Amino acid sequence: VPNAQKAMLQDCLYSSSLIPDYRKLKQFSMSAPESEDGSEYSPQDILAFLSESSKGKKLDGPGYFSYSDTDYILAGLVAEKLDNRPLKEIFKTRIFDRAGMASSYFDTGTDPPANMAHGYTGFGSKGGKVADRTARNPSRDWAAGAAVSTPRDLLAFTEAIFSSRKLLSEHSHARMVKLINDYESPENAKGMGMFERISARGTFRGAEGSIPG
């Protein structure tokens, strides 16, 4: 993996590893064609495609902000290695069960439940026509976005990670919220796996993103 030999795990969680973002590859991007929705990839497949596409390219070393979902693929592999079990089980026992998120799960590509909210997008559809992409295989997202939840469970997660502190030790929580302001503007800062944005409406802490479907 390009730059991985130079980066530490904290670089990945602070989005400063400078490991290239696999989402910039066509088959993993927001504009990936609808015909690719059924394709299944392992984390190793994702990293192999990224390594091949980065051959011969000179990359800067870690140290400054450059968001990359590849950081989370690598963090997921580290978690599996340390816990010696699949990431799906880690999410269930370490996050969903502890936080009381009974309706949440880590999607491994099984059929979506009947009551799942459908997702529509014009990205990747022929002629830009809005299409239902709910059945898109989540394997290409894995640790970077394959968790499925509900608004109620997201509130439970917010409470568990920021208020009741059920998910992290005091040391880990302190590391997560230790903010570094080195990108974009003075109103924005980053923690480990999270961002802080200050606006007229208040302070936002968390993460944001989008995936077709």
Side-chain angles (χ1 to χ4, degrees):
V1 177
N3 259 10
Q5 71 278 10
K6 303 176 184 177
M8 296 188 293
L9 186 57
Q10 72 172 22
D11 294 320
C12 293
L13 296 178
Y14 270 123
S15 296
S16 58
S17 70
L18 269 67
I19 294 171
D21 190 356
Y22 78 94
R23 299 279 192 195
K24 293 182 179 179
L25 301 180
K26 183 178 179 180
Q27 65 268 48
F28 301 115
S29 70
M30 284 286 289
S31 57
E34 190 176 355
S35 59
E36 281 281 321
D37 282 2
S39 300
E40 185 171 354
Y41 300 94
S42 69
Q44 291 76 16
D45 291 334
I46 292 171
L47 297 178
F49 278 113
L50 181 67
S51 296
E52 182 64 29
S53 70
S54 301
K55 282 183 177 178
K57 296 181 180 178
K58 186 177 180 180
L59 304 172
D60 292 332
Y64 60 87
F65 177 81
S66 181
Y67 186 84
S68 172
D69 270 344
T70 310
D71 289 332
Y72 294 97
I73 299 296
L74 293 171
L77 289 171
V78 170
E80 286 194 330
K81 183 73 172 179
L82 291 175
D83 256 24
N84 196 31
R85 53 181 170 159
L87 196 60
K88 178 181 179 178
E89 294 179 18
I90 296 173
F91 266 64
K92 184 178 187 307
T93 58
R94 286 184 173 269
I95 301 176
F96 302 146
D97 289 350
R98 288 186 188 180
M101 300 168 68
S103 299
S104 301
Y105 63 96
F106 189 82
D107 197 345
T108 56
T110 54
D111 292 334
N115 62 345
M116 175 179 277
H118 284 229
Y120 300 84
T121 182
F123 284 111
S125 301
K126 190 172 182 180
K129 183 180 179 181
V130 174
D132 186 338
R133 306 287 291 276
T134 310
R136 174 182 173 276
N137 193 297
S139 63
R140 73 189 68 198
D141 309 313
W142 200 58
V148 179
S149 193
T150 64
R152 187 182 298 274
D153 274 8
L154 287 177
L155 288 174
F157 173 76
T158 302
E159 165 70 23
I161 198 165
F162 288 117
S163 299
S164 62
R165 310 276 184 87
K166 294 178 181 178
L167 302 182
L168 298 173
S169 67
E170 287 298 318
H171 174 74
S172 294
H173 185 272
R175 292 293 301 275
M176 180 185 75
V177 298
K178 182 180 179 181
L179 300 174
I180 297 175
N181 192 324
D182 68 350
Y183 76 109
E184 292 183 3
S185 69
E187 294 78 24
N188 299 312
K190 63 184 182 183
M192 282 192 169
M194 56 154 277
F195 299 89
E196 179 180 271
R197 304 190 191 281
I198 300 174
S199 71
R201 297 183 178 181
T203 300
F204 163 84
R205 279 187 173 183
E208 56 190 347
S210 57
I211 294 172

